[in-house]
Amino acid sequence: MRKWIVAGIGVVAAAVVAVWGVFYGIFPMVSDPGTITVERSIDRITRGQYLANNVMVCVDCHTVREVDLYSMPPARSLEFGGGLAFTREMGVPGNVVSPNISPGALREWSDGEVVRAIASGVSRDGRVLFPIMPYHAYGTLDREDIYAVVAYLRVIPPVNRPVAKSKVDFPMNLIMRTLPRDPSFHTRPHLRDPVAYGRYLATAAGCPDCHTRRDAQGRPSGPMLAGGQEFLYPERFLARSANITPDAETGIGNLTKEAFIARFKSRTDADYRQMAVARGRPQTLMPWWAYSGMTAEDLGAIYDYLRTVPAVKNKVVTFEPR
Ligand code: HEC
Ligand code: HEC
């Protein structure tokens, strides 16, 4: 009897080791970073500054937020210093903390390692990044745009501030190891093709990430851009993303291009940094302060793209106090 129990335990242990071996040996299926040197030209740095602050909004997730100011802008002089927490109370399977991506933390990283983290979701030490980090979207952009961001990250002021490590719960800690893949970079469409160019920008800006309902693993579970994705800030509010399909009644079908652009442009950085929001008053997670810095041309192209997605009737209440 004892022999059988010992054998049984042995079999179970071997199975656990095998599963572990698969998840930690085979995955992530991503190539080595390789030896790339991202030349820091002025053009690249300027483009990278625009992307990181106003389009891809790295700064929004990689900085602690001023939660009592409207649209929750980043805390001053801590930009790119990390520390924003996505917690179990918010519905995340674990406690995920955005890392410091200023030169204070990435100084030792090679350019290839930074590119791999952004576009494939694998950290310098091989750790797989929780997919709140939108590496899947970034891996489909233009290689040149990723290089521009890397060039910019090298020249920003270093923030030297320790940040807690992420901890992801079982089984997501294993599942997420299967998600990273090598990037499939695409050439950025030309502004002459505004719909394709607008779709590219919307992907880079994460509009579909927030404006489409998703399951706990981040896969779409509702119609594209029809809103309703929930963001819970415990003891503060529950926000839901708006329906931004062209439905006239419940989406933004009645919004003209001019009004759309003006809506972003009226929300300047300076306004946001000053507008305090009392508890219980409408607050949002949409980083209007960041996107307001997009050019009118780029916002117009996003609008043109949004006009082409199927109109979906879905009425969303975007704010509930808690
Ligand atoms: C929607 C939020 C979000 C956005 C936008 C975002 N990130 Fe992240 N990023 C994260 C989170 C969260 C992590 C940590 C994941 C983890 O610990 O598993 C992360 C991890 C990283 C890492 C890995 C660092 C390390 O120490 O392992 C790098 C590099 C990075 N992000 C760069 C960027 C850049 C550059 C951009 C903009 C182009 C960006 N991120 C945009 C949320 C975001
Ligand atoms: C972090 C999540 C998030 C991201 C990223 C995001 N949004 Fe939003 N958005 C929201 C939420 C939540 C609301 C509802 C509250 C509000 O109006 O701010 C909203 C509201 C809006 C509205 C107002 C709709 C209305 O009927 O009043 C528009 C337009 C919009 N978003 C467009 C965009 C576009 C375009 C992008 C990409 C450039 C984008 N959003 C990215 C979360 C997000």
Side-chain angles (χ1 to χ4, degrees):
M1 185 64 183
R2 190 179 289 160
K3 237 191 236 159
W4 286 110
I5 292 173
V6 170
I9 291 172
V11 167
V12 170
V16 167
V17 167
V19 169
W20 210 256
V22 167
F23 276 97
Y24 281 81
I26 300 178
F27 297 114
M29 283 194 206
V30 164
S31 311
D32 286 339
T35 47
I36 345 172
T37 306
V38 175
E39 195 217 321
R40 308 183 196 348
S41 66
I42 294 293
D43 281 354
R44 258 200 191 141
I45 291 170
T46 311
R47 172 80 183 158
Q49 173 171 21
Y50 177 62
L51 292 171
N53 290 285
N54 304 116
V55 183
M56 295 161 82
V57 299
C58 324
V59 67
D60 181 41
C61 282
H62 284 277
T63 313
V64 285
R65 287 177 179 155
E66 298 277 11
V67 284
D68 292 322
L69 296 186
Y70 190 64
S71 185
M72 303 197 277
R76 261 183 212 283
S77 33
L78 293 178
E79 283 96 347
F80 302 99
L84 185 68
F86 301 86
T87 62
R88 290 187 184 90
E89 295 72 45
M90 295 174 175
V92 173
N95 193 55
V96 176
V97 185
S98 68
N100 184 341
I101 56 168
S102 78
L106 298 189
R107 200 173 282 120
E108 311 276 296
W109 291 44
S110 71
D111 289 343
E113 286 164 347
V114 182
V115 170
R116 187 178 67 167
I118 299 172
S120 304
V122 177
S123 185
R124 186 180 193 221
D125 59 4
R127 186 175 64 95
V128 171
L129 302 177
F130 190 80
I132 288 178
M133 166 68 191
Y135 62 85
H136 279 123
Y138 296 161
T140 67
L141 301 181
D142 196 317
R143 183 194 305 270
E144 181 49 40
D145 274 344
I146 304 299
Y147 284 14
V149 170
V150 173
Y152 171 68
L153 289 180
R154 298 305 198 184
V155 301
I156 59 178
V159 177
N160 293 302
R161 190 168 165 274
V163 164
K165 277 201 170 24
S166 295
K167 167 111 186 52
V168 179
D169 299 336
F170 179 84
M172 187 55 186
N173 61 344
L174 291 186
I175 294 169
M176 72 182 204
R177 293 188 69 82
T178 66
L179 304 178
R181 51 197 53 120
D182 285 339
S184 54
F185 292 123
H186 290 85
T187 310
R188 185 172 74 232
H190 198 276
L191 188 56
R192 274 192 305 264
D193 182 357
V195 171
Y197 180 73
R199 182 191 300 117
Y200 178 91
L201 288 174
T203 305
C207 322
D209 294 345
C210 273
H211 281 277
T212 307
R213 272 196 83 101
R214 283 167 195 282
D215 66 17
Q217 272 146 41
R219 289 172 305 214
S221 62
M224 182 71 174
L225 294 163
Q229 173 67 1
E230 297 193 335
F231 304 93
L232 179 65
Y233 263 67
E235 287 160 44
R236 284 177 177 269
F237 62 87
L238 173 71
R240 289 189 197 87
S241 57
N243 179 351
I244 56 171
T245 70
D247 183 56
E249 207 184 306
T250 63
I252 58 168
N254 287 332
L255 204 59
T256 64
K257 189 166 179 173
E258 290 65 39
F260 178 86
I261 296 172
R263 187 113 173 224
F264 282 83
K265 286 294 181 191
S266 65
R267 300 163 189 250
T268 64
D269 196 6
D271 287 346
Y272 274 115
R273 287 184 184 260
Q274 286 153 21
M275 247 167 72
V277 179
R279 292 266 178 130
R281 300 295 303 154
Q283 173 61 298
T284 181
L285 246 94
M286 164 128 166
W288 293 99
W289 54 270
Y291 299 137
S292 67
M294 260 198 264
T295 63
E297 255 177 1
D298 283 357
L299 286 167
I302 291 180
Y303 178 87
D304 292 340
Y305 159 62
L306 290 176
R307 296 323 259 186
T308 67
V309 306
V312 176
K313 210 162 268 322
N314 181 33
K315 186 155 178 50
V316 180
V317 177
T318 54
F319 179 83
E320 275 174 27
R322 277 294 151 98

